[in-house]
Amino acid sequence: MRIALVAPLVTTIAQPFVGGSQALVADLAMGLVARGHEVTMFARAGSVVPGVHIEPIAVPAQVLPANFSSTSQTSVPDPAFFVQANIFLELFLQLRHAPFDIVHTHAFDWPAFTFSALVQHIPIIHTIHLPAVSAEINQALRTLHQHGHLLTLVAVSQACARDYEPYTPVDQVIYNGLDLAAIPFAPNTPEQAPLLFAGRIAPEKGVEQAIEIAEQAGYPLLIAGGVYDEDYYTRRIQPRVQQAEGRVSYLGSLTHADLWRLMGQCRGLLFPIAWDEPFGLTAVEAMAAGTPVVAFNRGAAAEVIRHGETGFLTAPGDITQAVVYTHQLPTISRQYCRQHVRANFSLAHMLDEHERLYARLHGRQNA
């Protein structure tokens, strides 16, 4: 099939990836190409995905990732919103008559949802990688549904799909998948192996909570991830790292290969999320490496992690119980963590689900 993938435009699609949605769209593109499909990715200029044809989109530097810790309040759009809106408008106007069988969008932006409705002769799919944190997008999805459910919506978890039920039905849930052959498995770790936090440095990811858990538990903590919220990092995280005097180390952004190797060397991954995480790719990556996870039970955490089998779930914000569970991590079978990912979150299964969805929508469009 001829497939157009519209990537998030707020960052480039290149390693080291800023977040899970960027990694997912790259893996999806490469997997579809390997299966013989003709894939064109529309992505911010500077994006690089091996083997995938990219149509670069010039995006001004003023267009930055959203601050999800403050999107619960409706605010007046800044000039960058209109800049990006016009970019999406032009893109979808061009796609109306483009030679594609499917247009699959991964951008979580108001204009990406609304302007994609202009494309009427090609099936439009949106994968939703975020919880219902934007009142403006929620209302747009409600309106689009009321006018004939103009978009096919895919969520990355049942929890994410439920989050949108007040606004629109979600058509399908497709879990993110990993190529386990690329992730080295570590069957053992030293008794005093460090804990790990992996993810973008932003309030909703729970970086501060991870530092607190590690310090109370008495284990060193490694932090891996790009600085997504510069002000949050400067005010809240950098001082804590400096005060820890070597017990907490910030490693910056890592490539997939370096991150997966590091995961296998750690006692456990801390996943103390401060929002309703729609999936939790880093938790799945850690388990694929054999590393169990201690997580706050929010969003899709209970769909991804099996309590007592691949890690532990605590009530949201329960740092005391999380500390207790860090000492119990050696009771978790690292081999079972790997098996759990293989059985439920493989790249092959994710690609199968997408191919079936594409074929069904393409067949319906041409019936």
Side-chain angles (χ1 to χ4, degrees), residues 1 32 35 37 172 174 348-363:
M1 298 183 71
L32 291 170
R35 291 191 174 195
H37 300 287
Q172 187 167 342
I174 301 179
H349 179 70
M350 183 187 80
L351 292 171
D352 289 345
E353 291 292 290
H354 280 93
E355 283 187 312
R356 282 192 283 266
L357 175 61
Y358 294 166
R360 184 170 69 250
L361 293 177
H362 180 59

Side-chain angles (χ1 to χ4, degrees), residues 78-123:
D78 62 22
F81 170 87
F82 295 102
V83 171
Q84 185 174 218
N86 286 331
I87 292 172
F88 276 117
L89 176 60
E90 182 175 359
L91 172 59
F92 286 112
L93 286 172
Q94 292 175 352
L95 286 172
R96 286 187 306 167
H97 307 294
F100 294 109
D101 300 312
I102 293 289
V103 175
H104 188 175
T105 300
H106 293 262
F108 190 83
D109 300 279
W110 182 89
F113 290 105
T114 56
F115 294 154
S116 66
L118 294 169
V119 182
Q120 298 182 357
H121 302 295
I122 307 172

Side-chain angles (χ1 to χ4, degrees), residues 153-162 170-176 278-279 303 349 353-354 357:
L153 302 178
V154 173
V156 293
S157 67
Q158 298 293 343
C160 183
R162 288 193 297 272
V170 168
D171 299 280
Q172 187 167 342
V173 170
I174 301 179
Y175 287 135
N176 293 342
F279 182 70
E303 292 178 60
H349 179 70
E353 291 292 290
H354 280 93
L357 175 61

